[in-house]
Amino acid sequence: IDYLDAITRVDSTGLILGHSDDNFEIAIPFYTNKVIEGLSEEELSNQVSSLIWDLSAYMTEELCPSCNDSNLRLTTMVSKGDILVKFCDECLYTGIRNEHVEIEEDLVPAPKKMIEVYLSER
């Protein structure tokens, strides 16, 4: 619920949508079937949160330095939206400026402008 609350405050036109290795042709029917099966409010919130995350958290081509199992996503903290945080979906690694950090708050997808700056510096 906290994540959904935070993400609803993000302007979707300021995000890069659909840049991940997720197969949405499979994912969308999966989510649709879950809803049809009937979900509690909490389960529905979790499914919606997952779908929003999969669609909007920009995935880099950079492998996670911790698990080497997944590419990192570009995110930012809800309270400090000007700091780029790299995040691994598999092991939950979080990094700022290539240093592992512990973050207690929710992460949201990094805005398009922040991603464009990141990509131009690569």
Side-chain angles (χ1 to χ4, degrees):
I1 298 291
D2 292 339
Y3 174 75
L4 281 176
D5 182 51
I7 199 68
T8 58
R9 289 184 255 132
V10 174
D11 179 7
S12 63
T13 61
L15 298 172
I16 297 176
L17 301 178
H19 192 279
S20 73
D21 61 0
D22 296 310
N23 184 342
F24 294 112
E25 290 177 3
I26 293 172
I28 300 301
F30 170 80
Y31 289 118
T32 302
N33 288 337
K34 287 288 191 184
V35 171
I36 291 169
E37 291 170 9
L39 300 171
S40 69
E41 185 175 339
E42 181 178 356
E43 291 168 329
L44 183 59
S45 294
N46 287 337
Q47 293 299 319
V48 170
S49 294
S50 292
L51 182 57
I52 291 170
W53 180 262
D54 292 343
L55 284 170
S56 61
Y58 187 91
M59 184 174 279
T60 69
E61 294 181 12
E62 181 181 347
L63 276 177
C64 174
S66 179
C67 70
N68 292 308
D69 195 39
S70 182
N71 291 7
L72 296 172
R73 292 190 185 262
L74 299 180
T75 65
T76 190
M77 292 177 273
V78 172
S79 68
K80 297 176 184 163
D82 59 339
I83 298 175
L84 188 67
V85 180
K86 294 179 182 177
F87 179 78
C88 177
D89 286 333
E90 295 300 318
C91 72
L92 308 181
Y93 165 88
T94 50
I96 297 175
R97 291 182 285 285
N98 297 320
E99 301 268 336
H100 178 262
V101 295
E102 295 294 327
I103 297 176
E104 297 295 323
E105 67 179 279
D106 284 330
L107 297 173
V108 293
K112 185 186 303 185
K113 290 182 188 229
M114 190 178 282
I115 292 169
E116 289 169 348
V117 168
Y118 170 82
L119 293 174
S120 72
E121 294 174 349
R122 306 239 7 114

